[in-house]
Amino acid sequence: MMNQKKIVSIITGANGFVGRHLVDALVEKGNQVVAVSGPHSNQRRSLSVHENLIHEHADLSETDGFREIVFRYQPDEIYHLAGIAVTHGVSAESYYQSNVLGAYRWAEVVQRECGDECAFLFVSSASVYGSLSGDDIRFKETDTLRPTSLYGASKASAEAHLWMLLSKGLNLKIARPFNHTGPGQQAGFLCPDLAARIKKEIVNQGTGELQISVGRMDAIRDFMDVRDVVRAYILIMESAATGSVVNVCSGIGISVREMAEILAQETRLERSIRYVQNDALVRGEPDKIVGDDNCLRSLGEWAPRYTLKDTLRELWLSF
């Protein structure tokens, strides 16, 4: 009996928070995985070693290195996660160069070298939507894009650039992930920042009630575990039609206050924790960002495996 050809998967941004989880999931699935990281990626967060895993480096600012990788490995699918992931504190020029031109350049390589033989999953963001208002309950993929941040604008612009390549034959699929967290997430994002502040104040404040500075507590977000997020990416790659746009979300909103209270419970401290809003940490972000997950669920028997409580417990223990 002939051995079945392994699916060859290229992951860009493979050394990032989500990328490392996606690498593990695809390797476990039996794919031949080519993990592409930037030339200056953080070696302290190195990827695992496996016979089905190949490590490569390429720079988003140019195409020759990536073209050589595509030509050498002849991929069946590409997950494009590379780019700037932080949602604030970055210039418009940097966002445009990395998130827009970087994605366009590499997708154009795939369109020219592979045509529609290789599926290209672009990981966009729920930040393209803006904020829910009025009677709106959840964002749908068909809603008008009204980003309120430079980061969201860069992702919306990248989508527009890639739609043009779709018309030229790119086998494009777009995932719009909402908030996600989990073990291994670094500082600069809500959940690990909260955990880090609590641990710091446990040391600094000695006995008595802990006071933790936070941003807006009433903001509502749609959180998922990063391991569920990568499962959704794989499902979209395998089951969504060319040209599909799919929200990656739980469909359930939770306030920052509720999430902080869950995290406080996971500390197992006998001391109480009081959260104090610090205006310096308020960044003018949307009031409510919750997604409609019907499109994702329509692709197969998919549901999150991790509760937010489970996820925050693992995040806390990973610090």
Side-chain angles (χ1 to χ4, degrees), residues 131-145:
S131 181
L132 287 167
S133 60
D135 295 329
D136 294 333
I137 300 174
R138 302 188 297 179
F139 281 119
K140 296 181 180 180
E141 291 84 354
T142 53
D143 287 344
T144 302
L145 306 187

Side-chain angles (χ1 to χ4, degrees), residues 98-113:
S98 181
N99 291 358
V100 182
L101 287 184
Y104 175 79
R105 290 190 191 103
W106 284 13
E108 187 178 40
V109 166
V110 177
Q111 179 259 316
R112 289 180 174 178
E113 298 295 330

Side-chain angles (χ1 to χ4, degrees), residues 272-287:
S272 62
I273 297 177
R274 183 162 65 92
Y275 294 102
V276 181
Q277 181 167 307
N278 182 345
D279 290 342
L281 299 175
V282 177
R283 304 188 184 109
E285 295 176 341
D287 295 337

Side-chain angles (χ1 to χ4, degrees), residues 49-314:
V49 176
H50 193 280
E51 62 180 359
N52 287 343
L53 177 60
I54 301 169
H55 301 267
E56 294 285 358
H57 289 85
D59 192 332
L60 261 179
S61 65
E62 54 87 25
T63 58
D64 290 343
F66 185 67
R67 181 180 290 107
E68 182 180 340
I69 291 170
V70 170
F71 180 78
R72 185 185 311 154
Y73 297 107
Q74 296 294 301
D76 299 293
E77 56 185 32
I78 295 175
Y79 295 82
H80 185 71
L81 281 67
I84 298 173
V86 294
T87 59
H88 59 278
V90 178
S91 70
E93 292 78 6
S94 295
Y95 275 131
Y96 185 74
Q97 287 295 327
S98 181
N99 291 358
V100 182
L101 287 184
Y104 175 79
R105 290 190 191 103
W106 284 13
E108 187 178 40
V109 166
V110 177
Q111 179 259 316
R112 289 180 174 178
E113 298 295 330
C114 307
D116 63 359
E117 295 299 314
C118 174
F120 186 90
L121 178 69
F122 175 65
V123 176
S124 183
S125 169
S127 294
V128 300
Y129 291 119
S131 181
L132 287 167
S133 60
D135 295 329
D136 294 333
I137 300 174
R138 302 188 297 179
F139 281 119
K140 296 181 180 180
E141 291 84 354
T142 53
D143 287 344
T144 302
L145 306 187
R146 295 189 179 94
T148 58
S149 67
L150 288 173
Y151 172 76
S154 73
K155 288 294 190 176
S157 180
E159 287 190 20
H161 281 67
L162 297 182
W163 282 119
M164 187 271 289
L165 292 178
L166 173 69
S167 70
K168 294 186 175 183
L170 178 68
N171 185 353
L172 173 68
K173 305 175 185 187
I174 295 175
R176 289 181 182 157
F178 285 64
N179 292 73
H180 43 279
T181 190
Q185 189 173 34
Q186 303 296 303
F189 298 89
L190 176 61
C191 294
D193 282 355
L194 264 178
R197 286 183 201 130
I198 292 172
K199 291 228 170 183
K200 179 181 178 181
E201 294 308 321
I202 289 173
V203 174
N204 291 346
Q205 294 187 26
T207 60
E209 181 184 66
L210 290 177
Q211 293 190 29
I212 309 297
S213 294
V214 294
R216 286 184 53 192
M217 298 294 283
D218 60 340
I220 295 175
R221 297 292 181 262
D222 186 330
F223 269 92
M224 279 177 56
D225 188 288
V226 63
R227 291 159 293 190
D228 284 326
V229 168
V230 300
R231 287 178 50 241
Y233 291 170
I234 294 170
L235 178 61
I236 294 167
M237 180 66 85
E238 293 178 343
S239 303
T242 299
S244 294
V245 179
V246 183
N247 287 339
V248 177
C249 58
S250 69
I252 300 171
I254 182 171
S255 71
V256 174
R257 181 179 302 280
E258 291 174 286
M259 191 178 61
E261 289 172 353
I262 293 173
L263 187 58
Q265 293 170 7
E266 294 308 315
T267 66
R268 300 293 194 272
L269 291 175
E270 295 182 359
R271 302 157 63 185
S272 62
I273 297 177
R274 183 162 65 92
Y275 294 102
V276 181
Q277 181 167 307
N278 182 345
D279 290 342
L281 299 175
V282 177
R283 304 188 184 109
E285 295 176 341
D287 295 337
K288 182 180 180 182
I289 305 177
V290 180
D292 186 306
D293 63 345
N294 284 322
C295 184
L296 178 60
R297 289 180 182 274
S298 73
L299 297 178
E301 294 183 3
W302 187 92
R305 291 177 179 170
Y306 297 88
T307 67
L308 184 57
K309 186 174 183 179
D310 293 335
T311 303
L312 292 177
R313 179 186 301 117
E314 290 194 52

